[in-house]
Amino acid sequence: MSTLRLILGDQLNPAHSWFSAPDAHAVYVLMEIRQETDYVLHHAQKIIAIFAAMRDFARQLGEAGHRVHYLAIDDPANHQSLPANLDALIAQYTASTFEYQAPDEWRLDRQLADYAAQLAIPARRVDSEHFHTRRDEAAQLFAGRKQWLMEHFYRQMRMRHGVLMAGPGKPLGGQWNFDHDNRKPWPGLPREPTDWRGEHDHSALWQSIEKAGVASFGEPNAKRFRWPLNRDEALQQLDDFIAEALPHFGDFQDALTIRAWRLFHSLLSFALNTKMLNPREVVARAAEAYESGDVPLAAAEGFIRQILGWREYVRGVYWANMPGYETQNYFDHRQPLPAWFWTGNTRMRCLAQAIGQSLEHAYAHHIQRLMVIGNFALLAGLNPAAVHGWYLGVYIDAFEWVELPNTVGMSQFSDGGQLATKPYVSSAAYIDRMSDYCKGCHYDKKARLGERACPFNALYWDFFARNGERLAGNPRLGMVYRQLAKMRPTDLQAAQDKASEIRKHLDLL
Ligand code: FAD
Ligand code: SF4
């Protein structure tokens, strides 16, 4: 009699109650499977990071006295899918019960529920013991509302969890949100902290992944691999972030620069999303840093808002809308991705940098994802499902529950405004204000027409002109539509002609 317990690649939480004491009747199963490497084309570093962290987690469980069955990608006994491997292992261990932690992705949740339903032995889904909220909590909070304001959700979370509060209903500093203080461009100082992450040589693992025929893209960087493998490394990274970067996080959260790829961001999303770190401890550490006078309130609040606010909120949006969210397409955009999404080879300096570093590091920070790559994708009318596939594959932290609402909802406005109060788009003026990209770009940030005109400019006006019916009534866009109304019809027509020319030749930009 034994219980087979499945651990998915993003469930590497050593504090889970499953592991409180070794249980001779429990067998823990981890598997590297083609089902998971192949559902979308992944960045090489994402595959290496998840497999390496799974291997390390299995090692730790074994050392702690747990029984572990690990199926490597090249194990001849590996059937490369969850149901086939589980059938074989249930038979091998004559398991009398099957248990799994609630998956965060709808795809896996459905697959495992279907699998459990047809089993001859009892099956049980347990909580993953990670998030602040239940899957359906945001849906309950916003019941009956068309638009889900993150700020409303965030305040509820602050009050419920007593984070940065001066008293009941009273936020510390008299303000809930210091977003307005978080919009400075980066002048070059203070210096970007050195990359504090350790290095690992994963060449052997990478070879076995390649030999197994797993397709991927991006730089593997297997010899000098830098994403954390386990909780100890993730905790070290959290310490380093709090000491070296959090003090400046608030100020430069939205800044963009050619000279630094991380700036003062934490790079903690991989460790959080694979559950090596718990969001409660990360939030508590940032709040403590403020209380002990090490960081300004605006920095601690700005960081905490991302985790206690945005991260939990997008998860609620995901579960309230799945399945079906992944195919939403409010603007009916159909344009395929330009080839340079896979190479970074474009003369647009902002996109060359943001996509180039995504391919190199499997990472871009939020504003690069939203206001450079996502901004272009929306203005150019790229198919949101293809944009979603790219984001889901390229980023080290991309798991559908968090990536999809960010891409399809926040960045592409494909849900028609459930998540975002207006489309996140801009002309070159915003990018120039927040970055040093435009100086030295092939394109002219000020021009709307002509060979060297920055493509963002014509695309921007064309986007609002062609979507007037959908957007003109949005109170946050009043100024844009007033400006558009003042534009001479011939100028607008010229911008629209230029935009359609650009869309015809996206590969050549
Ligand atoms: P920091 O800037 O240091 O922020 C701290 C933490 O806050 C992050 O680690 C993350 O856990 C959380 N966070 C910040 N912003 C968000 C957000 N909007 N939604 C959810 N959590 C947030 N984040 C992912 O974890 N996975 C994704 O696949 C993902 N895809 C995105 C796609 C698009 C189009 C956009 C605009 C954003 C996406 N984000 C995603 C959110 C955000 O960009 C990343 O969480 C962040 O860049 C990760 O880097 P960091 O750890 O250095 O974050
Ligand atoms: Fe990007 Fe336009 Fe600036 Fe060039 S000029 S960096 S394309 S915004």
Side-chain angles (χ1 to χ4, degrees), residues 348-351 428 431 437-438 441 443-445 454-456:
M348 290 184 284
R349 200 160 180 245
C350 51
L351 280 150
I431 297 179
Y437 291 147
C438 299
C441 179
Y443 294 103
D444 177 353
K445 66 185 181 200
C454 168
F456 278 89

Side-chain angles (χ1 to χ4, degrees), residues 265-269 273 303 306 363 366 369 397-398 403 406:
H265 292 273
S266 68
L267 311 189
L268 286 171
S269 47
N273 294 352
F303 181 70
Q306 309 309 318
Y363 178 87
H366 187 69
R369 296 186 205 196
D397 51 33
E403 176 277 328
N406 269 298

Side-chain angles (χ1 to χ4, degrees), residues 353-506:
Q353 201 263 349
I355 292 179
Q357 78 158 64
S358 302
L359 297 170
E360 189 181 348
H361 300 291
Y363 178 87
H365 65 70
H366 187 69
I367 298 299
Q368 291 173 309
R369 296 186 205 196
L370 186 65
M371 292 310 297
V372 179
I373 306 171
N375 183 2
F376 180 85
L378 180 52
L379 291 180
L382 304 191
N383 179 337
V387 178
H388 156 53
W390 186 83
Y391 275 92
L392 185 57
V394 75
Y395 292 117
I396 196 76
D397 51 33
F399 298 91
E400 197 185 68
W401 64 270
V402 53
E403 176 277 328
L404 185 65
N406 269 298
T407 304
V408 158
M410 190 188 307
S411 152
Q412 299 304 294
F413 206 77
S414 310
D415 62 4
Q418 179 186 3
L419 192 154
T421 49
K422 63 172 178 137
Y424 283 96
V425 286
S426 78
S427 63
Y430 168 87
I431 297 179
D432 186 43
R433 191 164 63 249
M434 295 308 295
S435 80
D436 50 14
Y437 291 147
C438 299
K439 218 181 273 171
C441 179
H442 168 83
Y443 294 103
D444 177 353
K445 66 185 181 200
K446 293 238 163 80
R448 192 188 303 153
L449 301 176
E451 182 77 7
R452 300 289 278 259
C454 168
F456 278 89
N457 295 337
L459 288 172
Y460 177 81
W461 291 111
D462 174 59
F463 173 78
F464 286 111
R466 69 188 156 86
N467 287 306
E469 236 169 72
R470 293 182 179 91
L471 300 174
N474 182 325
R476 295 199 64 199
L477 296 173
M479 185 142 89
V480 177
Y481 279 98
R482 278 194 296 280
Q483 279 177 277
L484 202 57
K486 281 190 209 143
M487 211 184 266
R488 280 200 309 232
T490 46
D491 289 350
L492 179 58
Q493 190 55 54
Q496 293 206 262
D497 291 346
K498 170 79 181 166
S500 70
E501 206 43 40
I502 292 170
R503 273 199 299 274
K504 270 192 217 138
H505 304 291
L506 289 180

Side-chain angles (χ1 to χ4, degrees), residues 201-434:
D201 184 350
H202 289 316
S203 312
L205 170 59
W206 175 235
Q207 269 168 21
S208 68
I209 292 169
E210 280 198 298
K211 211 161 147 207
V214 178
S216 68
F217 69 108
E219 170 58 52
N221 200 22
K223 229 176 160 41
R224 304 185 62 198
F225 199 78
R226 305 202 78 155
W227 294 101
L229 283 194
N230 53 44
R231 179 167 166 77
D232 285 349
E233 290 181 7
L235 281 172
Q236 183 60 54
Q237 202 181 305
L238 174 61
D239 284 349
D240 292 335
F241 165 70
I242 300 263
E244 294 180 39
L246 183 58
H248 310 296
F249 180 86
D251 281 351
F252 304 113
Q253 197 177 334
D254 286 4
L256 296 158
T257 175
I258 204 92
R259 290 168 289 170
W261 65 274
R262 297 166 276 115
L263 277 176
F264 304 98
H265 292 273
S266 68
L267 311 189
L268 286 171
S269 47
F270 175 71
L272 274 164
N273 294 352
T274 51
K275 306 185 180 60
M276 294 173 192
L277 290 181
N278 187 282
R280 281 182 185 74
E281 67 189 330
V282 179
V283 165
R285 288 293 308 280
E288 279 159 29
Y290 163 68
E291 279 150 22
S292 55
D294 295 334
V295 306
L297 182 56
E301 188 283 315
F303 181 70
I304 286 171
R305 185 176 353 115
Q306 309 309 318
I307 296 175
L308 187 61
W310 280 109
R311 187 168 184 266
E312 298 283 333
Y313 164 84
V314 295
R315 178 167 176 262
V317 171
Y318 179 74
W319 283 107
N321 286 288
M322 287 300 285
Y325 204 58
E326 73 287 9
T327 50
Q328 298 218 23
N329 193 350
Y330 183 63
F331 296 114
D332 195 26
H333 282 167
R334 289 155 187 264
Q335 190 89 19
L337 302 192
W340 43 261
F341 264 66
W342 308 98
T343 62
N345 291 335
T346 162
R347 289 173 296 181
M348 290 184 284
R349 200 160 180 245
C350 51
L351 280 150
Q353 201 263 349
I355 292 179
Q357 78 158 64
S358 302
L359 297 170
E360 189 181 348
H361 300 291
Y363 178 87
H365 65 70
H366 187 69
I367 298 299
Q368 291 173 309
R369 296 186 205 196
L370 186 65
M371 292 310 297
V372 179
I373 306 171
N375 183 2
F376 180 85
L378 180 52
L379 291 180
L382 304 191
N383 179 337
V387 178
H388 156 53
W390 186 83
Y391 275 92
L392 185 57
V394 75
Y395 292 117
I396 196 76
D397 51 33
F399 298 91
E400 197 185 68
W401 64 270
V402 53
E403 176 277 328
L404 185 65
N406 269 298
T407 304
V408 158
M410 190 188 307
S411 152
Q412 299 304 294
F413 206 77
S414 310
D415 62 4
Q418 179 186 3
L419 192 154
T421 49
K422 63 172 178 137
Y424 283 96
V425 286
S426 78
S427 63
Y430 168 87
I431 297 179
D432 186 43
R433 191 164 63 249
M434 295 308 295

